[in-house]
Amino acid sequence: MTNIFAVILAAGQGTRMKSKLYKVLHPVCGKPMVEHVVENIQTLDVSRIVTVVGHGAEKVKDQLGEKSEYVIQQEQLGTAHAVIQAESILSSLEGTTLVVCGDTPLIQPETMKALYEHHNNQKAKATILTAVAGNPTGYGRVLRDENGQVSQIVEQKDATPEQQLVTEINTGTYCFDNKALFEALKLVNNENAQGEYYLPDVIEILQKQGEIVSAYTCANFDETLGVNDRVALAQAEELMRARINEKHMRNGVTIINPMSTHISADAQIGRDTVIKPGTIIEGHTVIGEDCIIGPNSNIVNSRVGDRTTVSNSVVTDSSIGEDTAVGPFAHLRPESQLGNHVKIGNFVEVKKSTLGDDTKVSHLSYIGDAEVGSNVNVGCGSITVNYDGKNKFKTIIEDDVFVGCNSNLVAPVKLGAGSFIAAGSTITKEVPADALGIARSRQENKLDYAKKLK
């Protein structure tokens, strides 16, 4: 197989986004557009990926890291000018170069592979990924000769009224013979309405040289959507969300209302799990089999074990075991780890804590900076008092402890295995194993005193 290279065009500022965030870094289904593009290209086993950056270059480099090499386009003088910035890296190499825009996150790996294979089969020097648009306004038109061969690509502003009626459009994605590409780029001029160096001009140059120029038509126009403003960003999000949800449903996940369910591109969900409406699953979340998630739950970069329920709750950077119930209206903050058969009930918050198997925190409690053992019961309204206004301290609750309602465990403190904390206690020192800890005022009744209040 010939060497495959890729040039990603990601230098435009994206002024129509009206954003402080560099255009290609705007997320679609939780991942920056340009990262979708890079990961799709990587499926072709490319030898080298070169990303052309300009505005916000460092942020793009930070996002993609070692997935790509980088060149800088100091002035945005057109797409041909952008590609030629990669000359020092690629021009001497033998192989095929894909050129893809960094704002086209919906082009699927299968389409890129089909484009590449068509290019090879046709023995072409250049192959254009085209699509048929219902409304081609704004796109470059693909013009063909009487034999159906590509003769030229004309940009919207340079097209005649007759040419503007053409509905086959240039998607901005190409395959080139690498050396032919960089030789032709030297012949591109900027004699056009925009005064820019257009990459599509390479097509006409190669065609006039008698080289084979081909086109591969994408079956689904939606894949080729380029994101230039917030409206297109929302469209891309909707299209990708539908694609992701369909993948999970075909793999055995029940999504009751796909229109109201948002799942990131990197999430994994096991078979026979049910996703209820209003649920958002973000980042690299992994959910097991036979779970019930939602309604209205938000899970971010977390792991959820088999047969677990997360109802009307928020889970962030945490791990939940099997056969566990979270919610409704619970909040697992980062670095929380729940064992198996755990119960986290309504209005319970857990932060940077581990809870062992069969432990229950059923209502209105806060567990922060704590190490909680197995088979522990934390009564309603109980909290670990972990913060003195300056420093955080740890609470250790060993196995088989019962914490009565409305107890304050003032850290640092340890409750020994099997101990019992009386309701309403404020515990400030260690409670030994199997002991009863009581820390509250003794009740006193003043007979007939209520009569004076009346």
Side-chain angles (χ1 to χ4, degrees):
M1 179 182 288
T2 183
N3 288 326
I4 308 174
F5 315 111
V7 176
I8 299 173
L9 307 183
Q13 186 174 7
T15 54
R16 281 182 280 173
M17 298 295 286
K18 293 182 171 58
S19 174
K20 296 183 291 294
L21 183 64
Y22 190 43
K23 182 175 76 166
V24 297
L25 293 179
H26 278 266
V28 175
C29 290
K31 183 184 294 183
M33 289 189 283
V34 70
E35 192 164 0
H36 282 291
V37 173
V38 169
E39 291 182 359
N40 289 338
I41 287 172
Q42 285 178 321
T43 63
L44 274 68
D45 194 26
V46 293
S47 302
R48 302 180 80 163
I49 296 175
V50 181
T51 301
V52 183
V53 293
H55 298 283
E58 292 306 316
K59 291 182 179 179
V60 175
K61 292 179 183 180
D62 289 344
Q63 182 66 45
L64 296 179
E66 296 181 358
K67 294 178 181 178
S68 175
E69 299 172 74
Y70 305 91
V71 292
I72 295 180
Q73 185 186 20
Q74 298 289 359
E75 293 182 89
Q76 276 66 62
L77 301 178
T79 49
H81 180 258
V83 174
I84 208 165
Q85 306 309 307
E87 183 178 24
S88 61
I89 297 176
L90 297 179
S91 64
S92 64
L93 303 178
E94 298 279 353
T96 301
T97 295
L98 272 166
V99 178
V100 187
C101 295
D103 61 1
T104 54
L106 296 171
I107 300 177
Q108 299 189 81
E110 295 82 2
T111 299
M112 292 187 182
K113 182 179 179 182
L115 171 66
Y116 169 74
E117 290 177 347
H118 178 86
H119 175 80
N120 278 348
N121 292 337
Q122 295 294 313
K123 295 181 172 56
K125 291 295 184 181
T127 302
I128 313 152
L129 181 66
T130 71
V132 177
N135 178 9
T137 302
Y139 291 94
R141 307 305 201 279
V142 176
L143 306 182
R144 295 178 181 264
D145 61 24
E146 61 276 7
N147 298 318
Q149 298 299 310
V150 175
S151 60
Q152 189 181 4
I153 299 174
V154 181
E155 297 301 315
Q156 170 81 28
K157 292 183 179 180
D158 300 307
T160 66
E162 184 182 30
Q163 290 170 339
Q164 289 184 17
L165 296 177
V166 174
T167 58
E168 186 177 15
I169 58 96
N170 174 24
T171 67
T173 296
Y174 309 86
C175 259
F176 292 103
D177 174 271
N178 186 64
K179 287 194 171 181
L181 167 64
F182 285 99
E183 286 299 319
L185 283 170
K186 297 173 184 177
L187 303 176
V188 174
N189 62 52
N190 65 344
E191 296 172 4
N192 52 62
Q194 290 289 94
E196 293 186 351
Y197 298 90
Y198 289 146
L199 183 59
D201 288 354
V202 169
I203 301 301
E204 186 175 4
I205 291 167
L206 292 174
Q207 195 270 341
K208 288 181 176 178
Q209 290 175 350
E211 303 290 0
I212 298 175
V213 174
S214 185
Y216 176 80
T217 303
C218 182
N220 184 356
F221 172 75
D222 289 341
E223 277 190 51
T224 67
L225 176 71
V227 177
N228 291 312
D229 58 24
R230 306 283 182 146
V231 174
L233 183 67
Q235 292 171 341
E237 179 84 18
E238 181 181 355
L239 291 165
M240 186 170 289
R241 182 178 73 240
R243 181 189 297 174
I244 291 168
N245 288 350
E246 180 178 344
K247 178 193 73 173
H248 287 294
M249 288 187 286
R250 294 195 182 280
N251 287 336
V253 177
T254 295
I255 301 178
I256 292 175
N257 186 352
M259 293 293 291
S260 68
T261 302
H262 297 251
I263 302 174
S264 81
D266 294 319
Q268 301 175 46
I269 306 174
R271 292 183 302 174
D272 294 314
T273 284
V274 177
I275 310 295
K276 292 187 175 182
T279 293
I280 301 174
I281 299 171
E282 301 181 64
H284 293 267
T285 293
V286 178
I287 297 173
E289 298 184 356
D290 302 295
C291 296
I292 299 176
I293 309 297
N296 303 314
S297 290
N298 185 15
I299 304 178
V300 184
N301 290 321
S302 297
R303 300 187 71 88
V304 179
D306 295 344
R307 299 174 300 281
T308 284
T309 299
V310 180
S311 174
N312 294 89
S313 296
V314 176
V315 180
T316 304
D317 296 316
S318 295
S319 175
I320 304 172
E322 298 179 351
D323 302 291
T324 288
V326 175
F329 313 117
H331 187 185
L332 301 189
R333 290 167 57 191
E335 298 184 59
S336 296
Q337 298 183 40
L338 311 185
N340 301 324
H341 303 279
V342 171
K343 165 67 176 175
I344 300 295
N346 49 296
F347 305 106
V348 171
E349 181 178 354
V350 181
K351 172 255 178 185
K352 200 177 181 181
S353 298
T354 60
L355 281 71
D357 296 347
D358 301 298
T359 284
K360 296 177 177 61
V361 187
S362 296
H363 356 257
L364 299 160
S365 294
Y366 171 68
I367 306 296
D369 297 284
E371 184 181 312
V372 183
S374 299
N375 196 37
V376 171
N377 185 87
V378 178
C380 179
S382 297
I383 67 170
T384 59
V385 185
N386 60 331
Y387 184 49
D388 66 359
K390 184 178 180 181
N391 298 303
K392 299 288 181 71
F393 298 94
K394 190 172 185 179
T395 298
I396 297 175
I397 303 174
E398 295 186 337
D399 296 345
D400 304 309
V401 171
F402 185 95
V403 179
C405 293
N406 293 314
S407 294
N408 300 311
L409 310 178
V410 183
V413 71
K414 177 180 177 182
L415 310 183
S419 61
F420 194 110
I421 306 303
S425 294
T426 296
I427 302 298
T428 59
K429 59 184 180 181
E430 181 176 346
V431 178
D434 298 314
L436 169 63
I438 306 175
R440 63 191 184 201
S441 299
R442 186 178 298 277
Q443 181 176 331
E444 181 179 347
N445 295 329
K446 295 184 181 293
L447 299 178
D448 297 322
Y449 192 85
K451 294 179 180 179
K452 296 180 182 180
L453 300 177
K454 297 175 183 178

